[in-house]
Structures are given as structure tokens and as C-alpha cells.
Amino acid sequence: MTINVYTEQTPNPATMKFMVNKLLINGSEDFATKESAEHSPFAKELFKFNFVNGVFFASNFVTITKTEDAEWPDIEPILKEFVKGAVESEYKIKEDTSDEAPVFAGTDLEIKIQQILHDYVRPAVEQDGGAISYKSFDEGVVTVELRGSCSGCPSSTITLKSGIQNLLQRMVPEVKEVVSEAL
């Protein structure tokens, strides 16, 4: 199989989404630091580039966060070629892989919120090179964690309030607010 890689800009100017024509991982993996990539051969190699500041994998893409001093026109071709080679060489994203379906826990209300986030919000957030995960529901407040290109993105607050909060409030009247937990 010939591996094709193409890039997409994300709402976060510091990140770029590198799409491949092959499933890389079921779920997602976030490596916000070089140290966190210790058990990921793929991410570990990416962090060897001095302009890589973060790596996030989901389905068929890797979102790469650059350092402030790097410019996309200079580094994009280098990263594109590396991603292509890494996928062709079948670099592992993590040492221990598991293809389990998501397991939702908590009260019926919490499970409903998690299901909505998984079914409706997750695909849209992944489209922009990020990921969202449910953290908690307490007194009408849903707390989520944003990763990948969503982490530190200037438009993530708008997405959170205008998109996710409105959707959850329509589908689950008990939801009063959605907040993001800082990483």
C-alpha cells in the first residue's frame, strides 16, 4: 500500500494536522512533552526534531505542535516526509495497544453526556486535529479536557461555549455549563 500524507491547517496556528490514508490508532494518544513520549517510538522520533513541541495521534492523523520560532513553510515538508516514512515503517504509536470500545461510567446522566461527547462532539473536534475527553459532571457543570490542536487554541473557548455547551444543553437539560480543565 502506498502511503499518502497531506496536511491541513487547524484553528490553532501552532499546530498542523498530518493526514494519512491508513488507520494509525483507535482512539487517541497525546504526547505534550518529550518525556511523555518515552513509550511511543513514533512520537519519540518526532521529538528529535528541535522544532517539535507536541504530538497528538488520532484515527488517521498526527497533529504536530511546533515551537514558536519555527515556520510551517520551512518544516512542513520535512515533517510530511518523516510521517510518510514512519507510517511505511510501521512505527508504533504506543508500546501497548488495545482496540477496546469506549467504556462509559457513572450515573445514567453522566453516561448520556459521555455518549453525546463521543458520538457528536469527538468527530468534529478530531476534524480540527484535536480530541476531547469527559472528566466530570458536578452540579450542572460538565468538565472536559481538550488535547491536540485544541489545547491552547485561541478559538477553543468559542468552540466550548457556542458549540459543545449549546449541544449538551439542548440534549441534556441538566447541563448548565461546560468548562475545560487546563492541562
Side-chain angles (χ1 to χ4, degrees), residues 39-167:
H39 298 291
S40 171
F42 199 147
K44 198 174 181 177
E45 288 300 311
L46 278 167
F47 274 108
K48 288 183 179 177
F49 293 105
N50 64 352
F51 47 77
V52 171
N53 207 24
V55 178
F56 173 78
F57 295 95
S59 58
N60 68 329
F61 66 86
V62 55
T63 299
I64 300 172
T65 304
K66 69 176 186 67
T67 56
E68 220 174 280
D69 59 332
E71 298 296 329
W72 284 119
D74 300 331
I75 64 173
E76 183 180 342
I78 297 165
L79 289 170
K80 204 171 176 180
E81 192 60 37
F82 173 81
V83 169
K84 179 178 174 35
V87 173
E88 287 172 343
S89 300
E90 298 185 0
Y91 279 31
K92 289 190 182 296
I93 291 171
K94 60 181 184 172
E95 300 290 345
D96 176 35
T97 57
S98 151
D99 293 341
E100 295 176 20
V103 177
F104 305 126
T107 66
D108 288 347
L109 195 58
E110 289 173 304
I111 290 170
K112 183 176 182 179
I113 291 166
Q114 291 170 66
Q115 190 72 54
I116 291 167
L117 289 171
H118 182 268
D119 294 348
Y120 298 97
V121 178
R122 180 189 54 84
V125 170
E126 284 183 357
Q127 199 80 30
D128 284 338
I132 185 169
S133 57
Y134 170 84
K135 292 311 235 177
S136 65
F137 177 70
D138 186 38
E139 296 182 17
V141 179
V142 176
T143 302
V144 296
E145 178 182 271
L146 296 172
R147 296 174 311 199
S149 69
C150 297
S151 179
C153 176
S155 62
S156 65
T157 303
I158 295 165
T159 300
L160 200 65
K161 298 298 177 185
S162 298
I164 300 166
Q165 182 171 293
N166 288 346
L167 173 72

